[in-house]
């Protein structure tokens, strides 16, 4: 038995059509809410990791002034540690690979929220490039180049590792590098 009342005030679809028509109409809003929610979560995780690791010195780049300021260095000399981006980028790449691996099995809004929201806010390009700029302004261009090269390699390796973890153990015979993510 069909009911002829509109399902909502914003459209003319009938109650029987509500699950298809109204959902498609509000799809962009649901996606935006999903991305915003997961972006807040990703930002909180990124800042928490930075606060947890801020005292460690990895020898790459950071914004905390070091105890050893060289006489002939630039007045904006900053010591490096990478606590603000290194582990966040590694974790974000691993999670992004897992989401990409299982994207077909996920709800579209969840997959978009996790990949663009959570992983996008967890990984940080701005902090990384800011620290590279500090390294260059202090006269260490080669160290900055090596830092960029190493971080790119670590990020790609983390993505491959995340893809491997997300694919293994899911079937009788794990297919860790298959056509789902293009990592053949």
């Amino acid at each position: 038995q069909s009911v002829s009342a509109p399902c909502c005030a914003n459209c003319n679809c009938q109650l029987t059509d509500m699950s298809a028509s109204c959902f498609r109409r509000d799809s962009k809003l649901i996606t935006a809410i999903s991305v915003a929610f997961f972006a807040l979560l990703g930002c909180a995780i990124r800042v928490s990791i930075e606060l947890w690791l801020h005292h460690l010195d990895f020898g790459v780049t950071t914004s905390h002034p070091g105890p050893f300021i060289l006489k002939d260095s630039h007045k904006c000399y900053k010591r490096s540690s990478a606590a603000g981006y290194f582990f966040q980028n590694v974790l974000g790449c691993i999670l992004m690979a897992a989401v990409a691996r299982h994207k077909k099995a996920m709800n579209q809004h969840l997959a978009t929220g996790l990949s663009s929201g959570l992983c996008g806010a967890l990984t940080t390009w701005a902090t990384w490039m800011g620290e590279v700029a500090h390294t260059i302004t202090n006269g260490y261009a080669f160290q900055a180049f090596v830092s960029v090269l190493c971080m790119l390699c670590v990020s790609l390796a983390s993505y491959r590792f995340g893809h491997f973890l997300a694919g293994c153990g899911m079937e009788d015979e794990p297919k860790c590098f298959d056509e789902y993510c293009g990592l053949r």
Side-chain angles (χ1 to χ4, degrees):
Q1 183 176 9
S2 176
V3 180
S4 61
C7 71
C8 60
N10 296 331
C11 66
N12 293 324
C13 62
Q14 302 301 315
L15 283 175
T16 56
D17 300 334
M18 184 169 53
S19 63
S21 178
C22 286
F23 186 71
R24 271 186 300 228
R25 181 182 184 117
D26 296 331
S27 175
K28 290 181 182 178
L29 177 65
I30 293 169
T31 301
I33 291 170
S34 174
V35 169
F37 172 76
F38 284 112
L40 288 172
L41 185 62
C43 185
I45 293 170
R46 178 171 46 87
V47 171
S48 298
I49 292 172
E50 182 176 1
L51 291 174
W52 182 46
L53 299 175
H54 77 279
H55 64 283
L56 297 178
D57 186 3
F58 299 104
V60 194
T61 51
T62 195
S63 59
H64 300 291
F68 306 110
I69 297 178
L70 303 174
K71 279 194 239 179
D72 58 345
S73 69
H74 191 272
K75 65 180 180 178
C76 294
Y77 180 78
K78 305 282 184 177
R79 195 171 155 103
S80 65
S81 80
Y85 66 86
F86 184 80
F87 285 112
Q88 293 88 330
N89 287 350
V90 169
L91 181 61
C93 289
I94 290 171
L95 292 176
M96 198 175 299
V99 170
R101 175 86 184 196
H102 298 292
K103 195 171 193 171
K104 290 181 182 180
M106 287 184 188
N107 177 306
Q108 175 189 357
H109 309 297
L110 177 64
T112 303
L114 288 172
S115 62
S116 297
L118 180 75
C119 296
L122 178 60
T123 59
T124 173
W125 177 266
T127 304
W128 176 30
M129 287 297 108
E131 301 306 330
V132 167
H134 282 298
T135 305
I136 291 171
T137 59
N138 288 313
Y140 298 103
F142 182 73
Q143 182 183 354
F145 173 74
V146 171
S147 173
V148 169
L149 189 63
C150 289
M151 191 66 231
L152 288 174
C153 291
V154 167
S155 295
L156 289 172
S158 299
Y159 187 87
R160 296 274 313 228
F161 181 67
H163 189 269
F164 174 79
L165 288 178
C168 291
M170 301 301 276
E171 301 172 2
D172 292 335
E173 290 184 29
K175 298 175 183 170
C176 296
F177 297 105
D178 58 11
E179 71 277 359
Y180 292 115
C181 214
L183 291 177
R184 263 202 193 260

